[in-house]
DNA sequence: AAAAAACAGTTGCAAATGCAACTAAAATGT
DNA sequence: ACATTTTAGTTGCATTTGCAACTGTTTTTT
């Protein structure tokens, strides 16, 4: 396991001391488990150290939405901005999570740990990455049409993976829940795009036509 | 003008010294101006000190999308995650913006300014707020129906303003561009909602029925 | 190895949304 | 005070998307 970004530049020993100040806890979860962050733990943030998870919301009619996807080093927390719409974090693989008090992180404790500020910097970097990920997601969801959403998402993936051929991190089923569209309508649109030569696909494997430049 | 959150806990004099390390610049813009952040200024972040601005994207077909709204203390930067889809920040009121090098903020310079870490903490707080705002936006855009988007947005506003009656920060026209839906379809849906007693509205003034609890 | 479950893919029909072209009202400029 | 521009609001028609009910394939379970 790669060293988590949150620990960069801090020795293990010092980290242990520091994390006690922040009331840190480390938990492992099995695939399928829900990562619980109680509503009253408002000022806690979590970081995914290992595994893969998704922030999921169910509508009353059963519609499922994948609001966010978490890979290692993803920071999350202060969930339920919209308290009534309970969303939960569900592990799609075995996960390990560290969580600690955001309040104590940004409001110095009396111990004055020497590397406290390094930790703050690390958290800032993670949070900046998260804001970028959220922005990208908005870019995708803001597209007016199904085709627009598909294209925006595929282009993003292609850029991330550095290749015009890549495999989806979801099942086709889940992709629809991520793009917030109907599954069969999405399949229909993908079929059309294939016919127009804008896409090749087989299962989760996607190939985009070479970009013009 | 209220003291910007980015400056909390730092004296003016020290700040001046520090901001030089970060190559900070302060600019004012008139209503209607575009805040330019050049593509090569990748590692700069900006903070809106005063005014109101919007991150806007135009589609080839002329469709306009309001991706984000900025009020004072909003942090932004590392724009164009999707470089080809040029989006720009347009001031909807007279604005003042400070921008500086993110790189120098998180990679200590040799001057070792005493309050550097306070500034990092301040930026972290702003960035956390931004991530929350982006999450809320995703909650809204992820709704499958026009009514769902309207409701989610109105409930968010009502919570922010602490009242079931509030006025929209947009024109009705702009609201549609913010919710990423067709304007006349939106009006039609609002009309239906009024008929069903889910909403009262007149121009920008909105009243929601009292929440049940 | 067989049965069950999950997943990819298809299609007809209904409903929601987008588009365009309006009218009326309000705000702005001269 | 009048003309111009912007904004709010409406409606018919075309298109897109959602829904439901399928088929066939792959994966998982027993």
């Amino acid at each position: 396991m790669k060293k988590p970004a949150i620990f960069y530049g801090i020795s293990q020993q010092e980290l242990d001391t520091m994390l006690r100040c922040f009331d840190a806890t480390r938990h492992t979860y099995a695939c399928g488990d829900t990562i619980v962050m109680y509503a009253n733990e408002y000022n806690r943030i979590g970081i995914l150290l290992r595994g893969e998870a998704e922030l999921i919301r169910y509508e009353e009619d059963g519609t499922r939405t994948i609001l966010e996807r978490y890979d290692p080093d993803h920071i999350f927390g202060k969930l339920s901005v919209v308290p009534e719409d309970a969303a939960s974090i569900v592990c799609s693989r075995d996960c390990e999570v560290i969580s600690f008090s955001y309040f104590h992180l940004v409001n110095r404790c009396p111990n004055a740990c020497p590397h406290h500020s390094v930790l703050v910097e690390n958290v800032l970097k993670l949070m900046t990455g998260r804001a970028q990920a959220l922005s990208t997601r908005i870019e995708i969801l803001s597209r007016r049409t199904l085709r627009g959403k598909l294209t925006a998402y595929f282009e993003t993936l292609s850029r991330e993976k550095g290749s015009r051929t890549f495999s989806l991190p979801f099942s086709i089923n889940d992709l629809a829940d991520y793009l917030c569209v109907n599954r069969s309508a999405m399949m229909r649109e993908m079929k059309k795009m294939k016919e127009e030569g804008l896409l090749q696909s087989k299962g989760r494997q996607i190939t985009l036509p070479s970009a013009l430049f």
Side-chain angles (χ1 to χ4, degrees), chain A:
Chain A
M1 173 169 145
K2 206 166 140 274
K3 182 169 183 174
I6 178 79
F7 299 157
Y8 285 173
I10 306 174
S11 75
Q12 188 59 52
Q13 190 198 337
E14 190 170 19
L15 196 65
D16 292 343
T17 317
M18 237 191 300
L19 288 179
R20 262 196 294 281
C21 306
F22 306 147
D23 185 25
T25 60
R26 229 162 142 152
H27 272 288
T28 58
Y29 299 86
C31 177
D33 284 0
T34 297
I35 300 177
V36 182
M37 299 265 295
Y38 298 103
N40 53 354
E41 286 182 335
Y42 236 117
N43 278 305
R44 287 185 84 76
I45 53 174
I47 293 161
L48 187 61
L49 299 178
R50 183 172 54 81
E52 187 184 278
E54 287 162 1
L55 179 64
I56 293 186
R57 187 193 63 217
Y58 282 94
E59 238 73 37
E60 300 117 29
D61 67 357
T63 314
R64 192 181 76 142
T65 302
I66 300 178
L67 289 164
E68 294 182 50
R69 267 180 60 82
Y70 302 146
D71 287 311
D73 285 338
H74 197 107
I75 191 168
F76 54 88
K78 299 187 165 187
L79 302 183
S80 53
V81 182
V82 187
E84 53 269 33
D85 305 309
S88 44
I89 300 179
V90 180
C91 299
S92 43
R93 297 190 187 191
D94 292 357
C95 286
E96 187 174 354
V97 170
I98 190 169
S99 80
F100 54 86
S101 158
Y102 177 78
F103 181 86
H104 287 101
L105 180 75
V106 295
N107 297 283
R108 300 283 175 154
C109 68
N111 298 7
C113 308
H115 281 81
H116 186 132
S117 58
V118 176
L119 195 71
V120 171
E121 280 177 21
N122 289 347
V123 171
L124 173 57
K125 285 178 194 164
L126 296 187
M127 195 60 86
T128 304
R130 172 167 150 88
Q132 281 207 30
L134 292 169
S135 288
T136 305
R137 184 116 177 73
I138 290 173
E139 278 277 355
I140 293 163
L141 291 182
S142 68
R143 304 289 162 161
R144 304 298 214 267
T145 61
L146 231 168
R147 175 172 299 199
K149 286 176 180 137
L150 282 167
T151 308
Y153 182 54
F154 290 160
E155 288 293 341
T156 301
L157 277 182
S158 159
R159 208 172 312 112
E160 279 175 9
K161 312 249 170 144
S163 162
R164 295 256 106 192
T165 296
F166 49 88
S167 104
L168 296 174
F170 299 113
S171 69
I172 294 284
N173 221 310
D174 288 357
L175 177 60
D177 290 348
Y178 183 73
L179 298 180
C180 305
V181 296
N182 178 273
R183 187 184 64 88
S184 56
M186 187 186 82
M187 296 264 18
R188 189 194 293 137
E189 191 61 38
M190 283 178 72
K191 197 178 163 194
K192 269 197 218 164
M193 288 173 72
K194 283 194 220 178
E195 286 163 9
E196 296 177 33
L198 298 172
L199 185 68
Q200 287 173 260
S201 86
K202 163 96 189 175
R204 296 187 182 192
Q205 206 67 24
I206 305 282
T207 302
L208 301 177
S210 305
L212 308 170
F213 57 103

